[in-house]
Amino acid sequence: QVQLVESGGGLVQPGGSLRLSCAASGIIVSSRPVDWYRQAPGLQREWIATMSDDIPMYAYSVKGRLTIARDNAKNTVYLQMNHLNPEDTAVYYCHSRTVFGAQYWGQGTQVTVSS
């Protein structure tokens, strides 16, 4: 059974930072692509970052402010977010897929950027 559990969200002031975590079980994060998505109120879910084969990839809208990283020993993928602004307010989701194509999502973690 694959499970992805996000944590680390919360309320942060503009210009602040947060580190989100995606703890995985049933899947080895070092051998499968792991993605971060976010969904703001009233908008579609959007892809923001992927770690695949040790190669990080970012959406243009977040490049330079977000860093995706992996701790193989903890089977966890992180998303370090810096210089946050109100437009980053969203529910952030972790996503991965097995070699058979089955896709898995975490429950999401809320990030609110507000003064």
Side-chain angles (χ1 to χ4, degrees):
Q1 181 76 8
V2 176
Q3 280 193 315
L4 302 172
V5 179
E6 301 97 333
S7 62
L11 174 64
V12 62
Q13 291 189 340
S17 299
L18 280 176
R19 188 179 77 159
L20 307 183
S21 300
C22 172
S25 59
I27 195 169
I28 299 174
V29 298
S30 60
S31 64
R32 303 301 305 148
V34 177
D35 319 290
W36 283 97
Y37 286 74
R38 67 183 180 186
Q39 187 166 18
L43 299 180
Q44 288 188 330
R45 193 170 297 189
E46 66 168 334
W47 169 78
I48 54 174
T50 293
M51 177 66 83
S52 177
D53 293 330
D54 294 327
I55 299 172
M57 292 172 279
Y58 303 96
Y60 181 79
S61 61
V62 301
K63 199 169 185 179
R65 297 191 300 120
L66 273 57
T67 302
I68 190 170
R70 190 177 64 207
D71 185 329
N72 295 340
K74 295 182 178 179
N75 208 35
T76 298
V77 175
Y78 301 98
L79 186 68
Q80 176 68 42
M81 305 192 295
N82 299 324
H83 305 294
L84 288 164
N85 58 66
E87 289 70 37
D88 294 313
T89 295
V91 179
Y92 285 70
Y93 297 92
C94 184
H95 168 267
S96 191
R97 51 204 174 276
T98 69
V99 294
F100 304 106
Q103 300 196 45
Y104 296 90
W105 294 89
Q107 82 289 352
T109 185
Q110 175 71 48
V111 172
T112 303
V113 184
S114 176
S115 55

